[in-house]
Amino acid sequence: MYHVKLLLKYTVKEQIFYEESILQVNAGSFDEAYQKAEIYVKQTMDNKRRNMYGDTVHCTVVDYLDCFQSDDVESDVQEVYSRIFQNHSEFSETKLVELLSNSCTREEMLPLRYFPDPK
């Protein structure tokens, strides 16, 4: 089993949102995992849609960031993703943690909400 990590970008008017997404892919190799992930994203991603306010939400793939293979589960816990990196920025460790963990609030996410389907 492989996992492919990608970065998506949503643009609504002048607002920009990013989403890190990890797809679990049943594949025999890293190359096949990337291929399947790319096909899946092309088939399922709405490149352009309307939100609940009638604004156009544009979605694009910024990059496929990583691909990793997960080991068989040997206990009740399985590590799905791990990344080792160094802080090569001017940010303190506290600021780095804040940047890596800062999420949008509920109110900030409202522009991304889908326009409800009229039925």
Side-chain angles (χ1 to χ4, degrees):
M1 189 65 60
Y2 290 84
H3 295 80
V4 176
K5 182 178 179 182
L6 60 143
L7 182 65
L8 301 170
K9 178 180 178 179
Y10 298 94
T11 307
V12 185
K13 293 184 176 180
E14 68 282 345
Q15 292 180 295
I16 297 174
F17 300 85
Y18 293 96
E19 176 185 5
E20 285 182 297
S21 180
I22 298 176
L23 305 175
Q24 182 173 302
V25 182
N26 188 5
S29 69
F30 287 97
D31 290 338
E32 183 184 1
Y34 274 120
Q35 273 185 326
K36 284 186 171 185
E38 289 172 2
I39 291 168
Y40 173 81
V41 169
K42 284 179 186 173
Q43 292 175 345
T44 61
M45 185 176 76
D46 288 335
N47 293 331
K48 191 166 89 172
R49 61 175 171 81
R50 295 255 181 230
N51 68 7
M52 58 191 269
Y53 303 110
D55 302 319
T56 301
V57 178
H58 298 274
C59 181
T60 57
V61 176
V62 175
D63 201 0
Y64 290 84
L65 302 174
D66 200 0
C67 182
F68 53 97
Q69 189 173 14
S70 60
D71 299 326
D72 295 332
V73 177
E74 296 181 14
S75 65
D76 290 340
V77 177
Q78 179 184 19
E79 181 177 79
V80 175
Y81 185 74
S82 174
R83 178 175 70 143
I84 297 173
F85 63 94
Q86 293 180 316
N87 182 5
H88 294 290
S89 71
E90 71 279 1
F91 301 123
S92 68
E93 185 173 287
T94 303
K95 183 65 176 175
L96 179 67
V97 170
E98 180 185 323
L99 290 170
L100 290 172
S101 61
N102 193 10
S103 298
C104 292
T105 65
R106 180 184 182 280
E107 290 76 25
E108 290 171 329
M109 293 288 293
L110 288 176
L112 294 179
R113 297 227 171 155
Y114 279 93
F115 184 73
D117 255 347
K119 294 194 181 195

